[in-house]
Amino acid sequence: MHPVTDDELRRTIGTLMPDALTRLAELVRLPSEFGADPERRRACADAAALIVDALRDLDFPDPRAVPTSDGSLTVLARRQGPPGAPTVLLYSHYDVQPEGTAADWTHPPFELTRDGDRLYGRGAADCKGGVVAHLTALRALGDACPVTILFVGEGSEEQGGRGLDHYIRSHPAEFADVDAALILDAANPGPGRPAIVTSLRGVVVSRVSVRTGTRILHSGTFGGAAPDAAMALIRILASLRDDTGDTVIDDMPTPQIPHDADHRADADYPEAAFRENAGLPAAGRVLGSDDIATQLWARPALTVLATDLPALGEAVPAIRPTARAVVNLRVPPGVPARLASDLLTAHIRRHNPWNAEVDVEEVISSDPFTAPADGPAHRTLAGALGAAHGRPAVTVGDGGSIPLCGTLRAVAPRAEILLFGISEPGSNIHAIDESVLLSDLEAAVVAEAMFLRDLGTDPRQRKEEEQT
């Protein structure tokens, strides 16, 4: 059987896209947020079951939803390729972020809605669209797929992925033969602009608790002498950013920032484009002491995710004895997450005003990730993305974090780990009106099918057979 040609793949995928969108709509309809809500837990289980059924239809002999240590379900399936074929891991996740206030959405958050070339709905871009892209690429290749496939669909990525991480480390033999891992959970720099991500920041999420007293006090009777826990917390948090907006943590190693011409050419991020993508007002300041790409991809960034303080409607003239916050630290490449977490904790304790009682509890931690851009699988994916999009793929960094990458490197050290995606700045992932461009989704399917075909086929043989 000769390998399918580029034109054959494009035509086949064009005919498959309506069914792909139907499957995506089924997944988006499920509010699969992995958390404490039992109805949403059931939605996660239903999403996993849909994916298992789809893999069974693709002739995977034993697809299954495997319970993991954090209570989530990971979909796992393996389909053997020809003798001696490389093994390719296909990863995406089906859990989603909460939708926030549904009334703020232009389109219903859990209903796939097409508006022009955009498909709206929670998970359409991050990352149920990625799941569907994998399934559709496999369907397009059919029996002509020349590689062994290991499919991984995660159910708790948005909550740190501890369940999948523990499963992989507990079952390393299932992953040890992976030659290439396609992690479809990254972002492109713009619509129709394909990219391969070769660096990720790590992440540390910590809960900070401050206590300055034993009871609530009248702000008139005691104010001025009694310490305010809310103000103590605010001063601690303010110490983590300087006047330029740089994150400053005592003794944090200086990031190793590449300044070679090739990196700068790919990493350029004009301020005007960033302002538009971020929705910054004209007078709003872009933060940091370095260029925008470096700020986003190669420097630490501290964000306050939440505070436990009275809401405005609950304001009373009183001094509160306790205050809490959850902080998110994006860890630059080259700095271990364990070190970053320890330095963050030490900084918070050192910058504690008024000798308050301060407790720091780590919630999530994962290391940064970097990958070389010169391996054969990287070159194959770059060629496939370029052919699918009609323009060359660039190599970029990404400020996000994917714990799976470090775990895979530990258990499958020979594997090339390749990150690409279907989202772009206009996709609004983790926010209201999340969406994916239909053209980018289809191009990703085409690129993945080309990649799988080319990785398992001698290019010289394919060229000769296409010519005949």
Side-chain angles (χ1 to χ4, degrees):
M1 180 183 298
H2 73 84
V4 291
T5 67
D6 289 358
D7 288 342
E8 288 172 337
L9 279 178
R10 288 190 177 94
R11 286 194 299 270
T12 298
I13 290 167
T15 64
L16 293 177
M17 287 308 294
D19 287 341
L21 299 188
T22 298
R23 193 177 301 279
L24 180 56
E26 292 173 344
L27 287 170
V28 168
R29 194 173 296 122
L30 297 169
S32 51
E33 174 197 350
F34 182 73
D37 186 309
E39 290 189 10
R40 301 216 161 184
R41 286 284 188 111
R42 283 193 290 272
C44 289
D46 290 343
L50 283 176
I51 298 167
V52 167
D53 288 344
L55 291 165
R56 192 174 289 115
D57 290 343
L58 290 168
D59 295 326
F60 281 78
D62 185 27
R64 61 202 193 279
V66 179
T68 68
S69 59
D70 66 1
S72 67
L73 297 172
T74 290
V75 177
L76 293 173
R78 180 181 284 263
R79 192 179 68 188
Q80 194 64 36
T87 298
V88 179
L89 183 150
L90 303 181
Y91 166 88
S92 197
H93 64 88
Y94 63 84
D95 67 308
V96 297
Q97 286 284 341
E99 72 278 19
T101 303
D104 291 338
W105 286 63
T106 305
H107 306 282
F110 296 111
E111 181 180 325
L112 190 68
T113 305
R114 182 169 180 176
D115 189 347
D117 192 36
R118 284 200 178 272
L119 302 168
Y120 289 86
R122 176 60 88 224
D126 183 28
C127 211
K128 294 175 177 180
V131 172
V132 170
H134 285 321
L135 296 172
T136 309
L138 292 173
R139 189 176 174 195
L141 287 170
D143 294 339
C145 184
V147 301
T148 294
I149 298 293
L150 174 58
F151 185 97
V152 180
E154 187 175 7
S156 64
E157 191 274 345
E158 299 291 6
Q159 301 300 319
R162 291 183 294 275
L164 177 58
D165 179 89
H166 183 263
Y167 182 88
I168 293 175
R169 293 182 185 275
S170 302
H171 302 80
E174 294 184 29
F175 303 87
D177 67 335
V178 172
D179 296 289
L182 280 188
I183 312 296
L184 211 170
D185 191 18
N188 294 317
R193 296 177 59 195
I196 301 175
V197 173
T198 57
S199 72
L200 296 168
R201 290 188 289 197
V203 66
V204 172
V205 177
S206 295
R207 185 179 293 112
V208 183
S209 302
V210 177
R211 177 178 291 275
T212 55
T214 58
R215 60 189 177 90
I216 297 174
L217 301 172
H218 189 284
S219 63
T221 304
F222 296 96
D228 176 2
M231 186 58 71
L233 176 64
I234 290 168
R235 289 185 55 157
I236 289 172
L237 298 178
S239 75
L240 291 161
R241 292 265 190 167
D242 66 15
D243 290 343
T244 70
D246 280 339
T247 292
V248 285
I249 296 173
D250 296 343
D251 302 320
M252 176 71 76
T254 301
Q256 299 301 307
I257 302 168
H259 287 284
D260 57 281
D262 290 341
H263 175 85
R264 302 316 310 159
D266 281 356
D268 183 41
Y269 199 155
E271 181 175 326
F274 177 75
R275 285 183 174 277
E276 180 180 358
N277 292 336
L280 293 183
R285 229 179 114 185
V286 176
L287 301 184
S289 59
D290 216 316
D291 62 90
I292 291 172
T294 298
Q295 290 293 135
L296 298 179
W297 304 337
R299 285 196 177 277
L302 192 289
T303 303
V304 179
L305 300 187
T307 58
D308 189 0
L309 298 169
L312 292 177
E314 302 169 0
V316 295
I319 299 169
R320 300 278 175 172
T322 60
R324 297 189 301 172
V326 176
V327 297
N328 174 298
L329 175 64
R330 297 294 175 167
V331 182
V335 179
R338 174 78 275 129
L339 173 62
S341 182
D342 291 344
L343 292 175
L344 174 63
T345 297
H347 177 106
I348 289 171
R349 295 188 183 283
R350 188 178 298 121
H351 290 263
N352 165 20
W354 313 321
N355 201 30
E357 295 178 25
V358 175
D359 180 65
V360 184
E361 177 191 0
E362 181 185 291
V363 179
I364 294 172
S365 174
S366 71
D367 283 323
F369 173 80
T370 57
D374 57 357
H378 180 103
R379 292 193 297 270
T380 301
L381 181 59
L385 286 168
H389 284 268
R391 63 187 297 174
V394 296
T395 298
V396 298
D398 192 300
S401 308
I402 302 177
L404 171 71
C405 294
T407 306
L408 279 179
R409 175 163 287 168
V411 301
R414 75 180 187 186
E416 284 191 62
I417 301 175
L418 307 166
L419 296 100
F420 74 116
I422 57 174
S423 68
E424 37 75 38
S427 292
N428 280 356
I429 63 172
H430 293 197
I432 63 168
D433 287 337
E434 178 182 344
S435 68
V436 64
L437 286 166
L438 177 57
S439 53
D440 280 354
L441 175 60
E442 184 168 352
V445 175
V446 172
E448 181 170 321
M450 290 179 175
F451 170 84
L452 295 174
R453 175 201 63 191
D454 292 348
L455 194 69
T457 307
D458 184 332
R460 292 169 298 181
Q461 174 190 345
R462 183 171 66 84
K463 185 174 182 181
E464 291 172 0
E465 292 189 4
E466 286 182 5
Q467 290 174 344
T468 58

